[in-house]
Amino acid sequence: MHRQDFAYHLPVDLIAQQPPAERSAGRMLVLEGRTGAIVDRTVRDLPQYLRGGDLLVVNDTRVIAARLLGTKPSGGRVEILLERALDGRQALAQLSASKPIRPGLEVLTGGGVVRVLAREADLWCIELPAAAVEFFERCGEVPLPPYIRRAPQAADRQRYQSIFAREAGAVAAPTASLHFDAALTAALAARGVRRACVTLHVGAGTFQPLRGDDVAAHVMHPERASVGAAACEAIARARASGGRVIAVGTTVVRALESAALAAGREQPAQAPALSPWHGETRLFITPGFHFQVCDVLLTNFHLPESTLLMLVCAFAGRRAVLDAYAHAVRARYRFFSYGDAMLVMRGATA
């Protein structure tokens, strides 16, 4: 597979710059992966596509105010984007400046001096004036994605955070969850749809493009994930009653399928039941992947040639997904983090 196999044309004016007036007010394209059939609906129609006994799995990660601006002693500007909190006052971060960053650099910020310790692959290890989560929550700003061409606003603190957010650690929102509000969750509960949580702390690497043409050569940034006993038990109950597992977002797919692969390594002679799993995942899902847990996917529209688009193509078939994206462009859906949703039924080959 080549990166260009997942390209599509997107007019820049379809990239959503603001969230909808209400969380569940967005549009929803429904794609039946087995047939390629497409239906235009709204997010509020989601309960009509689910049934009693189905299990909705959400990501309960909470976005940290992970972007911080500082200056070098020379006066040059430095942007710090937290990737991961480490022990003590250290963290891994992306650093951007007009001139090369070097170990030992001291960056002055509104919260004190940030010291650059060492390079670690694409990231930098830094030392902060306080523990990372505390420091960035106090001094940082909402890390809106690079395709949102405006400064963060006060409302973004609330709107770029899902109503399920509990566990601090993400630097980007699991955006499919942003469509949920109290009214939608109540409608799903009335339908008999249950809910479970997993955690995957989304890293800034989610926005990193593939650097080469060969898809197989790409290596994902590691992200911390956790699938607890409660989620495993809820999935087992749903399966036993004939219910489906509906993943809210690609992060949930990666967390659940990583847990399934870990269980398979521990019990290779049989089809293992999902068991609690915690660790780092670099799982890169591309067409040909064998899904073991997820039956339905609710997701936003993703960047051309991105790893997230490749995951959706693996789930429902590359041709069906790219045809659906072409329809979404013609129908003027809103794209990316603050954009509209897509409900995807798994394709036959997935």
Side-chain angles (χ1 to χ4, degrees):
M1 288 177 289
H2 301 282
R3 184 180 63 188
Q4 291 86 348
D5 294 336
F6 303 90
Y8 68 91
H9 171 67
L10 178 66
V12 69
D13 65 316
L14 295 185
I15 300 173
Q17 298 297 307
Q18 299 284 351
E22 298 177 54
R23 286 182 181 268
S24 60
R27 300 167 70 189
M28 183 176 75
L29 185 155
V30 181
L31 170 63
E32 173 52 69
R34 292 179 182 273
T35 65
I38 295 170
V39 181
D40 295 313
R41 302 299 295 264
T42 70
V43 172
R44 288 171 180 157
D45 295 325
L46 177 62
Q48 298 177 27
Y49 286 88
L50 306 185
R51 55 182 182 254
D54 283 348
L55 180 70
L56 198 75
V57 184
V58 301
N59 185 357
D60 66 0
T61 189
R62 184 166 67 81
V63 180
I64 302 168
R67 179 173 281 116
L68 182 65
L69 298 179
T71 56
K72 298 179 180 180
S74 63
R77 185 171 123 157
V78 180
E79 181 180 271
I80 303 171
L81 182 61
L82 176 68
E83 174 72 20
R84 180 182 302 190
L86 301 176
D87 292 337
R89 295 186 291 121
Q90 293 187 5
L92 292 176
Q94 294 184 17
L95 302 180
S96 302
S98 58
K99 293 185 179 179
I101 303 289
R102 301 189 187 284
L105 174 68
E106 293 188 341
V107 180
L108 180 61
T109 74
V113 173
V114 174
R115 189 163 180 264
V116 179
L117 300 179
R119 185 87 190 221
E120 295 199 12
D122 293 337
L123 304 172
W124 289 91
C125 183
I126 58 176
E127 186 174 61
L128 305 163
V133 173
E134 171 198 337
F135 176 71
F136 277 90
E137 290 284 54
R138 175 164 45 88
C139 304
E141 65 181 22
V142 177
L144 291 179
Y147 45 73
I148 294 182
R149 306 290 187 180
R150 61 171 175 81
Q153 301 165 349
D156 291 313
R157 284 264 180 170
Q158 186 254 341
R159 292 305 303 273
Y160 196 62
Q161 195 81 267
S162 90
I163 65 171
F164 309 115
R166 299 289 183 274
E167 302 292 331
V171 303
T175 55
S177 298
L178 300 182
H179 296 286
F180 287 80
D181 53 23
L184 181 58
T185 54
L188 289 165
R191 188 85 168 174
V193 177
R194 298 186 177 92
R195 189 170 75 241
C197 295
V198 299
T199 305
L200 186 144
H201 293 311
V202 190
T206 192
F207 302 115
Q208 293 286 336
L210 272 71
R211 293 179 176 169
D213 182 53
D214 183 6
V215 170
H218 181 70
V219 177
M220 300 282 281
H221 280 189
E223 292 173 311
R224 291 170 294 157
S226 175
V227 177
C232 295
E233 292 164 5
I235 290 169
R237 286 196 300 271
R239 288 274 186 255
S241 66
R244 299 169 298 173
V245 174
I246 291 85
V248 179
T250 57
T251 60
V252 171
V253 174
R254 293 182 64 238
L256 291 178
E257 298 297 338
S258 293
L261 289 171
R265 286 191 290 270
E266 294 171 4
Q267 304 177 57
Q270 60 190 34
L274 200 63
S275 54
W277 173 80
H278 312 273
E280 288 191 343
T281 180
R282 290 181 178 266
L283 181 59
F284 181 19
I285 296 177
T286 58
F289 182 83
H290 174 62
F291 292 89
Q292 300 183 66
V293 186
C294 305
D295 302 304
V296 180
L297 169 63
L298 180 72
T299 186
N300 280 25
F301 293 93
H302 302 293
L303 277 74
E305 303 181 359
S306 65
T307 61
L308 302 183
L309 176 58
M310 293 172 191
L311 183 154
V312 180
C313 289
F315 198 81
R318 187 182 71 90
R319 189 68 267 156
V321 170
L322 292 180
D323 286 347
Y325 269 58
H327 171 86
V329 169
R330 291 192 300 270
R332 299 197 61 79
Y333 277 73
R334 300 166 73 248
F335 278 65
F336 306 158
S337 293
Y338 276 153
D340 295 317
M342 186 173 179
L343 184 66
V344 188
M345 314 298 175
R346 203 165 74 187
T349 59

